[in-house]
Amino acid sequence: MVHPLVGEVRLAYETLGLPADDDQQLVVHLPSDDASAAALDLLTGRRPGALRAV
């Protein structure tokens, strides 16, 4: 995707099926490369390389 402030951000995703019977899923988007990780850090105000909640 292209963000107006940081430009192109490439995201990968992982899907986790939840144990409920209603077919719910948890989808997590992650940066797919170092440049995208740095762009997301800039948008969220994090320092590059800092710990993040997963």
Side-chain angles (χ1 to χ4, degrees):
M1 77 177 191
V2 178
H3 189 277
L5 296 177
V6 296
E8 184 177 10
V9 178
R10 297 172 53 98
L11 299 174
Y13 67 92
E14 295 181 17
T15 304
L16 173 66
L18 300 176
D21 291 334
D22 55 5
D23 294 325
Q24 290 186 12
Q25 295 179 334
L26 177 65
V27 179
V28 178
H29 288 90
L30 303 166
S32 63
D33 55 34
D34 290 338
S36 294
L40 292 173
D41 286 344
L42 180 65
L43 289 173
T44 61
R46 284 189 344 105
R47 293 185 334 267
L51 294 177
R52 65 178 174 215
V54 178

